[in-house]
Amino acid sequence: MGQLGFYYDQTACVGCKTCQIACKDRNNLEVGTLFRRVHEFEGGKFPKPYAYYLSMSCNHCKEAKCVKGCPTGAMHFGEDGTVQHDKDMCIGCKYCVWNCPYSVPQYLEAKNIVGKCDSCKDLRADGQNPACVDACVMRCLKFGDLDELKAEYGNDLVRELPVLPSASQTNPSFLIKPKNEALNQTYKKREV
Ligand code: SF4
Ligand code: SF4
Ligand code: SF4
């Protein structure tokens, strides 16, 4: 099996946040905690303003800094190569929160541990898709073998954007079909 990860068609995403809500529901998260987040960006000036969205969860990086820096082994690679978290081994030290360049691990104060997207491994083990993938109204999200996703959706996909860290840091398992606006360096800090 090759490297597994998400494909995201940013050109079709309408920013409805259904994926975000489906994930929150699936993981029974408290108010204020999200394992998938739809970011919004804006740019340009009248008469040519624009906006774009970026739906992102854990990128299940091949060289994950959260795994490397975890002192207990709670953050680890699963058998399929995805980045998994063992809540019983977690001591809530937050090193993974600081080490992840994508700000993915979320500290869950009430439990004094972290949590994050597990790629809906239980659903996948049952032959189903992750909850966010099936919830997307525009069918923008897929999860699977990255080589197969590349073969299906083309070679003009990217793994980083001006608003994201360099992919060379962690080798993220994330393929984006980018909107042209999202490749514009000028507006990278104007998140709304
Ligand atoms: S908070 Fe838990 S998962 Fe994160 S680095 Fe510490 S022990 Fe590991
Ligand atoms: S794969 Fe599951 S846990 Fe991960 S973002 Fe999607 S719904 Fe959330
Ligand atoms: S559900 Fe689909 S269209 Fe809606 S914000 Fe998420 S990725 Fe975009």
mmCIF file of all heavy atoms in Angstrom, residues 8 12-19 38 55 135-138 140-141, ligand 3:
data_model
loop_
_atom_site.group_PDB
_atom_site.id
_atom_site.type_symbol
_atom_site.label_atom_id
_atom_site.label_comp_id
_atom_site.label_asym_id
_atom_site.label_seq_id
_atom_site.Cartn_x
_atom_site.Cartn_y
_atom_site.Cartn_z
ATOM 1 N N TYR A 8 -8.146 17.309 -2.176
ATOM 2 C CA TYR A 8 -9.121 18.395 -1.954
ATOM 3 C C TYR A 8 -9.212 19.242 -3.211
ATOM 4 O O TYR A 8 -8.200 19.815 -3.649
ATOM 5 C CB TYR A 8 -8.661 19.244 -0.764
ATOM 6 C CG TYR A 8 -9.395 20.547 -0.576
ATOM 7 C CD1 TYR A 8 -10.782 20.600 -0.457
ATOM 8 C CD2 TYR A 8 -8.695 21.746 -0.491
ATOM 9 C CE1 TYR A 8 -11.449 21.802 -0.269
ATOM 10 C CE2 TYR A 8 -9.352 22.952 -0.288
ATOM 11 C CZ TYR A 8 -10.722 22.973 -0.180
ATOM 12 O OH TYR A 8 -11.377 24.171 0.017
ATOM 13 N N ALA A 12 -13.728 23.623 -6.509
ATOM 14 C CA ALA A 12 -15.167 23.317 -6.407
ATOM 15 C C ALA A 12 -15.739 23.637 -5.030
ATOM 16 O O ALA A 12 -16.960 23.662 -4.857
ATOM 17 C CB ALA A 12 -15.402 21.847 -6.738
ATOM 18 N N CYS A 13 -14.873 23.864 -4.033
ATOM 19 C CA CYS A 13 -15.337 24.080 -2.657
ATOM 20 C C CYS A 13 -16.102 25.398 -2.548
ATOM 21 O O CYS A 13 -15.628 26.438 -3.001
ATOM 22 C CB CYS A 13 -14.130 24.098 -1.716
ATOM 23 S SG CYS A 13 -14.561 24.424 0.005
ATOM 24 N N VAL A 14 -17.274 25.341 -1.922
ATOM 25 C CA VAL A 14 -18.102 26.548 -1.755
ATOM 26 C C VAL A 14 -18.063 27.067 -0.313
ATOM 27 O O VAL A 14 -18.795 27.992 0.032
ATOM 28 C CB VAL A 14 -19.568 26.278 -2.178
ATOM 29 C CG1 VAL A 14 -19.649 25.996 -3.665
ATOM 30 C CG2 VAL A 14 -20.185 25.121 -1.385
ATOM 31 N N GLY A 15 -17.234 26.477 0.523
ATOM 32 C CA GLY A 15 -17.060 26.993 1.884
ATOM 33 C C GLY A 15 -18.242 26.771 2.806
ATOM 34 O O GLY A 15 -18.398 27.474 3.807
ATOM 35 N N CYS A 16 -19.040 25.751 2.529
ATOM 36 C CA CYS A 16 -20.269 25.546 3.309
ATOM 37 C C CYS A 16 -20.007 24.991 4.711
ATOM 38 O O CYS A 16 -20.862 25.035 5.577
ATOM 39 C CB CYS A 16 -21.209 24.613 2.553
ATOM 40 S SG CYS A 16 -20.523 22.950 2.356
ATOM 41 N N LYS A 17 -18.828 24.430 4.931
ATOM 42 C CA LYS A 17 -18.406 23.880 6.235
ATOM 43 C C LYS A 17 -19.140 22.598 6.648
ATOM 44 O O LYS A 17 -19.096 22.206 7.814
ATOM 45 C CB LYS A 17 -18.512 24.925 7.353
ATOM 46 C CG LYS A 17 -17.682 26.159 7.067
ATOM 47 C CD LYS A 17 -17.543 27.069 8.255
ATOM 48 C CE LYS A 17 -16.700 28.279 7.860
ATOM 49 N NZ LYS A 17 -16.521 29.231 8.922
ATOM 50 N N THR A 18 -19.825 21.968 5.722
ATOM 51 C CA THR A 18 -20.488 20.698 6.048
ATOM 52 C C THR A 18 -19.465 19.655 6.481
ATOM 53 O O THR A 18 -19.717 18.850 7.393
ATOM 54 C CB THR A 18 -21.282 20.179 4.830
ATOM 55 O OG1 THR A 18 -22.080 21.236 4.326
ATOM 56 C CG2 THR A 18 -22.169 19.003 5.202
ATOM 57 N N CYS A 19 -18.287 19.655 5.862
ATOM 58 C CA CYS A 19 -17.220 18.706 6.230
ATOM 59 C C CYS A 19 -16.776 18.949 7.669
ATOM 60 O O CYS A 19 -16.555 18.001 8.432
ATOM 61 C CB CYS A 19 -16.035 18.860 5.264
ATOM 62 S SG CYS A 19 -15.455 20.574 5.099
ATOM 63 N N VAL A 38 -12.521 24.718 7.988
ATOM 64 C CA VAL A 38 -12.588 25.381 6.686
ATOM 65 C C VAL A 38 -12.114 26.821 6.884
ATOM 66 O O VAL A 38 -12.778 27.622 7.546
ATOM 67 C CB VAL A 38 -14.014 25.356 6.104
ATOM 68 C CG1 VAL A 38 -14.049 26.073 4.754
ATOM 69 C CG2 VAL A 38 -14.492 23.907 5.941
ATOM 70 N N SER A 55 -10.221 23.739 3.081
ATOM 71 C CA SER A 55 -10.687 22.750 4.064
ATOM 72 C C SER A 55 -9.524 21.820 4.384
ATOM 73 O O SER A 55 -8.980 21.172 3.484
ATOM 74 C CB SER A 55 -11.851 21.949 3.478
ATOM 75 O OG SER A 55 -12.217 20.929 4.385
ATOM 76 N N ALA A 135 -19.631 13.671 3.529
ATOM 77 C CA ALA A 135 -20.512 14.810 3.821
ATOM 78 C C ALA A 135 -20.391 15.926 2.792
ATOM 79 O O ALA A 135 -21.311 16.727 2.647
ATOM 80 C CB ALA A 135 -20.173 15.366 5.206
ATOM 81 N N CYS A 136 -19.280 15.994 2.091
ATOM 82 C CA CYS A 136 -19.042 17.153 1.215
ATOM 83 C C CYS A 136 -20.085 17.213 0.105
ATOM 84 O O CYS A 136 -20.199 16.288 -0.701
ATOM 85 C CB CYS A 136 -17.642 17.098 0.603
ATOM 86 S SG CYS A 136 -17.375 18.439 -0.569
ATOM 87 N N VAL A 137 -20.791 18.332 0.082
ATOM 88 C CA VAL A 137 -21.884 18.494 -0.896
ATOM 89 C C VAL A 137 -21.360 18.654 -2.315
ATOM 90 O O VAL A 137 -22.064 18.388 -3.279
ATOM 91 C CB VAL A 137 -22.760 19.718 -0.534
ATOM 92 C CG1 VAL A 137 -23.539 19.457 0.728
ATOM 93 C CG2 VAL A 137 -21.920 20.981 -0.389
ATOM 94 N N MET A 138 -20.134 19.095 -2.452
ATOM 95 C CA MET A 138 -19.559 19.330 -3.778
ATOM 96 C C MET A 138 -18.616 18.199 -4.205
ATOM 97 O O MET A 138 -17.987 18.283 -5.251
ATOM 98 C CB MET A 138 -18.775 20.658 -3.788
ATOM 99 C CG MET A 138 -19.623 21.872 -3.458
ATOM 100 S SD MET A 138 -21.000 22.096 -4.596
ATOM 101 C CE MET A 138 -20.138 22.630 -6.064
ATOM 102 N N CYS A 140 -15.727 17.458 -3.034
ATOM 103 C CA CYS A 140 -14.366 18.006 -3.163
ATOM 104 C C CYS A 140 -13.325 17.171 -2.461
ATOM 105 O O CYS A 140 -12.139 17.381 -2.680
ATOM 106 C CB CYS A 140 -14.237 19.359 -2.482
ATOM 107 S SG CYS A 140 -15.396 20.563 -2.868
ATOM 108 N N LEU A 141 -13.751 16.330 -1.520
ATOM 109 C CA LEU A 141 -12.788 15.605 -0.687
ATOM 110 C C LEU A 141 -12.761 14.124 -1.058
ATOM 111 O O LEU A 141 -13.809 13.516 -1.287
ATOM 112 C CB LEU A 141 -13.165 15.745 0.792
ATOM 113 C CG LEU A 141 -13.029 17.138 1.402
ATOM 114 C CD1 LEU A 141 -13.699 17.184 2.774
ATOM 115 C CD2 LEU A 141 -11.570 17.536 1.522
HETATM 116 S S1 SF4 B 3 -18.235 20.294 2.571
HETATM 117 FE FE1 SF4 B 3 -17.058 20.363 0.645
HETATM 118 S S2 SF4 B 3 -17.765 22.275 -0.345
HETATM 119 FE FE2 SF4 B 3 -18.361 22.397 1.829
HETATM 120 S S3 SF4 B 3 -16.604 23.482 2.805
HETATM 121 FE FE3 SF4 B 3 -16.226 21.255 3.014
HETATM 122 S S4 SF4 B 3 -14.914 20.766 1.247
HETATM 123 FE FE4 SF4 B 3 -15.889 22.754 0.804
#
